[in-house]
Amino acid sequence: MQLENQVAVITGGANGIGRAIAQRYGNEGAKIVIGDLLAEHGEATVAELKTAGIEVTFGQLEASSKESNEALADLAVSTYGGYDVLVTAAGISHSEYVSGDREGYLKYMGAVGEMALAPAHAFAQLEVEAWSKVIDVNLTGTFYAMQAATTRMLDAGTHGRIVTIASIAAKNPDAGPVAYTVSKAGVWMLTKKAARQLAPANIRVNSIGPGYINTNMTNVFDEIDEVRERLMAQVPMGRKGNPEEIASAALFLVSSESSYMTGEILHPDGGYFTE
Ligand SMILES: NC(=O)c1ccc[n+]([C@@H]2O[C@H](COP(=O)([O-])OP(=O)(O)OC[C@H]3O[C@@H](n4cnc5c(N)ncnc54)[C@H](O)[C@@H]3O)[C@@H](O)[C@H]2O)c1
């Protein structure tokens, strides 16, 4: 039990990577607050975790809203009496992304195929609304969640830990669309900056930059032969990772096993970054 009696807030915890982290932290004794846009998915995840004996509650979250992030932090403190750990897993790959909407994603992938034939035109024609949506959710949303967490951690004077979920796209522009890669590069710089500013307050801030992981965000890639083969050719281990393999890294980063680490990024990516 590495997280006994600790309170952990997981944004984007209704699905995929966030859900696996919520489960792993819960199994280690943490009290879990899941924040997510999709209430139905969130409630289903909470029911599943409760069956496993985990203390967990759900709060609906719009990651790109400061007020919503503040309300989620208040929920953690009012429900469990503290706030020790934050993981920011809420994220979107593109502006129309809705987790679990397979049809919508397949339609988007068709458009991506067309854009790849004329990348300069695709860049020139990118709508500012589409750009802003991704930056607002992935980057500004991470910032709001970190601010809300930091305020509570400073109030309590506890040893806080924050884990941001970036991506291999934080460092490789080929690993996603323009707004996504820029948002994730921003998350990585935000992590380093916050690590420096929060270290004197005994708050550690680290990041995980996953490779291709089996979640709603990548499942449709498997249905398109050309995409699946191109992506897997970039991964020496030749397979996607599982959300549980990201949860292992996330547990390490909030446990005492990483007590001298801050401002670091881990890449569970099957060897993607070995070139
Ligand atoms: N799956 C991958 O291969 C991969 C790789 C690198 C990084 N990531 C990152 O991991 C994180 C989790 O993604 P995932 O792969 O588990 O996908 P996912 O779709 O399974 O989970 C994302 C969750 O974020 C929630 N979310 C989306 N927009 C939100 C908003 N505005 N407010 C609150 N919640 C919102 C979704 O409802 C969903 O539950 C994302 O930040 C993603 O960019 C994923």
Side-chain angles (χ1 to χ4, degrees):
M1 287 292 195
Q2 297 187 63
L3 301 177
E4 190 129 46
N5 291 324
Q6 309 224 359
V7 180
V9 174
I10 323 279
T11 75
N15 288 289
I17 290 171
R19 179 173 59 194
I21 294 172
Q23 189 153 21
R24 179 66 63 87
Y25 285 6
N27 287 337
E28 292 293 334
K31 296 167 182 168
I32 307 293
V33 178
I34 287 176
D36 203 286
L37 187 64
L38 301 179
E40 213 174 299
H41 296 214
E43 297 295 358
T45 297
V46 162
E48 195 183 312
L49 267 54
K50 278 188 174 160
T51 313
I54 293 169
E55 266 193 83
V56 53
T57 193
F58 173 74
Q60 191 163 21
L61 171 73
E62 170 47 70
S64 63
S65 152
K66 181 171 170 60
E67 291 70 29
S68 188
N69 278 283
E70 292 295 327
L72 189 72
D74 284 340
L75 179 69
V77 174
S78 63
T79 309
Y80 297 127
Y83 192 142
D84 304 289
V85 169
L86 166 69
V87 179
T88 60
I92 53 178
S93 51
H94 56 283
S95 60
E96 307 295 315
Y97 180 76
V98 177
S99 190
D101 173 18
R102 177 178 164 276
E103 294 304 319
Y105 209 146
L106 282 170
K107 200 169 140 204
Y108 167 75
M109 287 304 290
V112 169
E114 282 172 30
M115 285 188 281
L117 300 174
H121 285 85
F123 185 89
Q125 288 160 12
L126 177 65
E127 301 282 348
V128 72
E129 291 79 10
W131 161 272
S132 298
K133 175 81 190 286
V134 175
I135 299 292
D136 288 352
V137 172
N138 291 3
L139 179 54
T140 311
T142 299
F143 173 66
Y144 287 148
M146 290 168 77
Q147 260 197 334
T150 303
T151 306
R152 275 74 183 178
M153 289 168 183
L154 289 174
D155 284 351
T158 49
H159 166 212
R161 282 135 292 152
I162 297 172
V163 177
T164 62
I165 305 296
S167 167
I168 46 175
K171 295 179 180 171
N172 186 345
D174 286 339
V178 57
Y180 184 77
T181 53
V182 172
S183 74
K184 293 300 185 177
V187 167
W188 173 215
M189 181 55 81
L190 178 62
T191 304
K192 290 191 278 191
K193 189 70 190 169
R196 284 173 175 261
Q197 283 194 241
L198 302 181
N202 200 22
I203 299 171
R204 294 194 293 114
V205 190
N206 289 289
S207 190
I208 300 175
Y212 300 112
I213 309 302
N214 267 315
T215 71
N216 289 335
M217 201 172 276
T218 65
N219 285 346
V220 297
F221 300 166
D222 300 341
E223 299 184 37
I224 309 166
D225 291 346
E226 186 271 319
V227 173
R228 186 186 63 246
E229 284 160 21
R230 181 167 46 81
L231 296 185
M232 284 308 100
Q234 303 164 0
V235 182
M237 286 178 71
R239 66 167 178 89
K240 291 201 286 183
N242 294 314
E244 292 71 24
E245 293 175 299
I246 306 305
S248 298
L251 176 60
F252 170 69
L253 288 176
V254 302
S255 78
S256 56
E257 299 292 327
S258 63
S259 53
Y260 197 49
M261 281 176 68
T262 197
E264 192 53 83
I265 186 166
L266 298 181
H267 288 296
D269 62 7
Y272 180 93
F273 273 135
T274 47
E275 279 180 23

